Amino acid sequence: MAERLRFLPAGSDAFLVELDDLETTLTLLDVLGVARPEGVIELVPAARTILVRFDPHATARATLVEAISSLDLSVRSTRQGETLEIPVTYDGEDLDDVAAFLGWSVEELIRRHTEATYTVAFTGFAPGFAYMTCDDPAFDIPRRKTPRVRIPAGSVALGGKFGGIYPSDSPGGWQLLGRTPLKMWDTRRPRAALLAPGDRVSFRDIAKGATVPVSAMPDEATQTTGSRAGLLVIRADRPALYQDLGRRGQAGQGVAESGALDRASLIEANLCVGNPRSAAAIEIAYGGFALKADRPVTLALTGAPAPVAIVTVDGRRLKAPFYQAVALDAGDELTLEYPPEGTRSYLALRGGFAVETLVASAATDTLAKVGPAPIIAGDILVPANEPVSAVDPYRPSPRKLPRAGDTVRLDVVLGPRTDWFKQDALALLLSQEWQVTAQSSRVGARLAGARPLEKLDATELPSEGTPIGSIQVPHNGQPVLFLADHPLTGGYPVIGVVARHHLDLAGQIPIGANIRFDAVAAFDPLIRETR
């Protein structure tokens, strides 16, 4: 029997494959896992969709649509996993609201939640986050109208027909029932994620004697701090971050790409000092950073042009240029102040920094809590002294970056959920200015417009893959523009995705600036059937 597939654009180099149900989705995922078409970088499964990310230099969207349409999905997927018990303290902020929505008492809600069996369908959103289906069909809970900015790690939650446990502190719109002391993601375990597809989960009430299995609680790592030589951080108004080009192709582990918000500036910083393009550099948000060298070093600064001063060991104060190699002697201090334009500056060290990598990258993912710890005052930046190449003194001139109050135009690929909105919402998206608010972060730029975007109805969208640049619209109608540390999956419709060529610019738009979106083409979904 033929399966109906709907292909929805999701940016310059991605699309969603929409299917009829979770069973068919998992079948397609397994088939693509065995016979992945050439050029496919990443697959992000969800309730009824698979996000396909591809390399536009190796293949084309139309080629992949035809290849996927020709696949045989007649043999259904079957998965088996472990059986686990999750102890829970039922004290969630939404416990009363969920009970009222279902017409139960809180006691009845807890009883039915602990009697149900959950099965892990797929992972996403953040490392260690498992989307779990429930054998009790009554658990179908709408998400919050406005997502919370911070949900504590270990929170046990419901969203739509799924249950889940937040592995780290993160924003989210699911309804909170309680919390578990178990760690959902810990790289010190042989399997970092506690839950994997196919696992079956039963929740147990700690108030009624449920215990925490010792085997599920990893021992705290013993960290040794010896004296290390290097560059001393003497000022960090905001924590700086190690960043590189990210963790491409790791969605199968629930790990997002992350990496520098402005990749072109990171690459340029490395080229200025002869490093490989992908070497880890330091991303500094809104200036306010200073270091002291303990040896002669060569640095370069790119991105947001923060005023830079060097105080030499003999007390002289010198200006330092951007987008050029800069030499420091032992004892010299370098300081970055607040940049007049842009948001993030990049500091590269010739020979690179000695920094630990995790999942083949040194990037710090602030949402997933993966990667090196943020850099604060008192930290030592250790030179790696890796092999380098000659320095090109004739680098391109830096591009102008936006200031607070400016209006920035970003190209947008409409979809995948443009048709979930009222007829005038698309016109409003493209005609109205959207201000970047102070609630913005590396996860996403939270936008505010005079008029919100309205959906056609209150239907809940099952969670699905969200590429970087997604313009996601929660219930309040005020969009969130996903940046480098965005979740792999989300449960609010994405009306459009910023085009790949404007993603670096999007990462440099400061708080207080305004955005105007320009559609590069009409919304164009495709419908195919497997043969």
Side-chain angles (χ1 to χ4, degrees), residues 296-316:
V297 293
T298 301
L299 309 168
L301 288 157
T302 60
V308 183
I310 298 173
V311 178
T312 66
V313 70
D314 58 4
R316 290 175 296 138

